[in-house]
Amino acid sequence: MWLTVAALLALGGNARGQDDAGAPRASMTCDRVDAPGRVRCEVEARVGADQSITWGDVVLVKTPPFVGALRGRIGPHDATAHDPSVWRWALALVARDKGTGDVEGRVRLVVCREGKCSPREVPVVGHVVVGE
């Protein structure tokens, strides 16, 4: 069962001063597990219908003390979905003990609209529950 824990977070504008109406959105969900071990999470990034994602990755920046990341960066070739407006990545964490806490990351994207592309960064937070 997926536990949806992170609210959609939007990036407020970019370096070129575009409004945030078309800002990318990202979310992270993590499986709830009964005991220490592997915790599977999924990160999803979405852009507006008139935009497309041409590159993206996920960088994990903080984990709770009872959890470790198997990889700190999940690259574009590791994405499980590469649709023009939606990219997804699966990632695994290792829980060494029971507990609850937040995993923080950044989704880095190159988003194109009408032939113009720009880098974007969206923070994501996923909640991990192990054995509670």
Side-chain angles (χ1 to χ4, degrees):
M1 174 174 101
W2 280 95
L3 175 64
T4 303
V5 289
L8 295 177
L9 299 173
L11 179 68
N14 67 22
R16 295 185 180 177
Q18 294 175 333
D19 63 20
D20 65 358
R25 299 169 310 282
S27 64
M28 181 187 302
T29 57
C30 296
D31 287 341
R32 180 183 187 127
V33 295
D34 294 329
R38 182 180 168 169
V39 179
R40 186 178 185 283
C41 298
E42 183 176 86
V43 176
E44 179 179 281
R46 290 184 174 272
V47 294
D50 61 339
Q51 300 173 325
S52 64
I53 301 170
T54 60
W55 182 92
D57 73 356
V58 177
V59 179
L60 298 179
V61 296
K62 186 177 178 185
T63 61
F66 68 96
V67 172
L70 292 178
R71 293 173 48 195
R73 177 183 177 267
I74 300 85
H77 298 294
D78 297 317
T80 59
H82 287 101
D83 296 330
S85 62
V86 179
W87 277 36
R88 286 186 196 91
W89 297 264
L91 60 102
L93 307 170
V94 177
R96 295 180 293 276
D97 203 356
K98 293 181 179 181
T100 63
D102 291 336
V103 175
E104 297 177 18
R106 290 189 312 264
V107 178
R108 302 182 304 179
L109 304 169
V110 174
V111 178
C112 298
R113 180 184 199 174
E114 298 176 359
K116 296 180 183 176
C117 299
S118 61
R120 302 287 183 99
E121 190 171 290
V122 184
V124 290
V125 177
H127 191 70
V128 177
V129 178
V130 178
E132 297 193 15

